[in-house]
Amino acid sequence: MKRLFLFMLLATVLIACNKTAKKNADSDNPFMKPFATKYDVPPFDQIKIGDYMPAFEEGIKQHTAEIDSVANDAAAPTFANVIEKLEFSGELLKRVSSVFFNLNSANTSPEMDKIASDITPKLTAHNDNLYLNDKIFQKVKKLYEERATLGLNAEQSRLLEKYYKNFIRSGAALNEQQKAELREINKELSSAELLFTQNVLAETNAYQKFVTNKEDLKGLPQSVIDAAADEAKAAKKEGQWLFTVQKSSFIPVLQYSENRELRKELLMAYTTRCNHDNKNDNKQVINTIMKLRVKKAHLLGFESPASFILDNTMAKTPENVMSFLDKVWKPALAKAKVEAAELQKLMDAEGKGEKLEPWDWWFYAEKLRKQKYDLDEEQVRPYFKMENVRKGVFGTATKLWGLQFQKLDSMPVYHPDVEVFKVTDKDGSLIGILYTDYYPRASKNSGAWMNNIVDQYIKNGKEQRPVIVNVGNFTKPTSDKPSLLTMDDVSTMFHEFGHALHGLLTKCTYPSLSGTSVKRDFVELPSQIMENWAFEPEVLKTYAFHYKTGEVMPKELMDKINNSSKFNQGFTMTELLSASLLDMNYHMLKDTTAIDVNAFEKKTMEKIGMIPQIIVRYRSPYFKHIFEGGYSAGYYSYTWAEVLDADAFQAFKETGDIFNPKVAEAFRRNVLEKGDSEDPMTLYKRFRGKDPNPEALLIRRGLK
Ligand SMILES: [Zn+2]
């Protein structure tokens, strides 16, 4: 959930800039030709930092020529000479963009960041050159108006509609002066959003807390102490312990450290990132971003960024989102208040006279969990060795759909932590290639995500199967211990793998419609549904083996996990939904008056009745989901999709078999294979036979 799903609409983010690209004769630039590798994976071993910029420039040049030829084609517009031409244009640019932006998130460097800053405004301008090209827009418009008479199949109609809407939403129907204004806004916006992310990464990496006194580590599990010692050693301070604001480092401190000051210090360091008056401060950047987004919405005829953004989702309007959130927020907050009182009681019993604060919540929740369910995260971690969990994840897909996973050892990778798997169907045919890249490093953004490296599509009758990556930031193996995941990490791995399946199993013709290129509030269904299998005893017994003894997790421990699954859900949902509400409050702004970010946030929290013992999951200055772009007025999507996933999993449970082959098949055919080739609600109802019902979610979360 805190998992960021990186979503690059490359096919539509395409884009033109006649900047003279150096005539690139260098035949050794691997981007210049289709990758001549097995399974069409990028030749990571041959790509050099100097290859990107020439490939971007040449890619933009070639794509511009293709766009011009569509615009200047004297023939009457047809689906083939306009839409299909555009859809399959810009191959070089797609090749370099997808590799570059994947690595810019997963394995960046100062040089890569510099290229990103240089190329991003050019790509935005290129995108504008396509979507603000009036000759092309007139052709698309004509086709759209005549769509009923063109003899198109369902997928083609959907593609035509998508192009038409993209043009309208990009400002194609504006006059010349407005178009120029929009271009300027887009350019400034993409730079500001990029700066926001770079500030968050810089500030996250900059923070180091060295503990020098062993006394201060009281309460921490040995594995956490060892990892912190390793970190300190790597930072050339042997004999000390290093904690950072990476979640894998500070969350265990919040859960277990008896040192209240240390807990407070780390939580405050995490929650005040980019909120200090220094060069990484994002408060002013937020103002810039919001002002530009409001201006853009107005220009395109919408009253707020939220109305503009939501017009292109399943939810459709801000009112629908707010009324949806309200339905879940009230029971969540009520539950959180009950939980807070329980924790306070625990503190009172200690007789220190302390009042529950945000840095106490995790610690006492952990104690309460132990008291109520006798479940301690450290008890279960030895059963969650990374490799074993991954086997469980793959095995679930084998059991549901017959998919096979074969590790490939001699494939080119961009970092030694990356592993490559060939995925095949039950009949042996190729589904696609999956990369996993699970450990944190300074060159990687925080969080977890899935991304396409190569899209699936069919061109001239030949099918391209996809190449997909799953990235995470799980605890690294230490010198004497393998990577042992937390329960949250386990869910995350299942979650990202769900996105991967959506990308892998897709069967579409057009890349703009294939895989995860769906409406944003539908995209989390395939990921979140996979989390349902993670801790089912039937699944646990296939992968939860003790890393030392090889023994399967005892039944009592499995039961404890499942009994405690509703534990602390008031807190979790309150943290999550308050972030959704903060997001909506920003994006429902109707004017460009300057905002005092901290005051705005405080006012929003007061308005929704937030309790002081919980801090919103993301405070504004590091709320990347919404200020980087991808999930603006969209953080609600996680909960929206959760209604769908709980209801969809219910379809399995109703049969008494969580691996029911008929239900699995229906989910694959109607959801996982379909991409955006049809309306998502239509697809969902075809799978389920009825509308989604929120009941299953409230029950699962223990809110009802
Ligand atoms: Zn996701």
Side-chain angles (χ1 to χ4, degrees), residues 260 344 347-356:
R260 197 177 191 215
Q344 185 64 59
M347 291 181 83
D348 292 346
E350 288 184 352
K352 291 185 212 155
E354 287 169 350
K355 234 178 91 217
L356 179 71

Side-chain angles (χ1 to χ4, degrees), residues 5 495 499 524 527 638:
F5 172 59
H495 176 104
H499 285 308
E524 298 297 334
S527 52
Y638 289 100

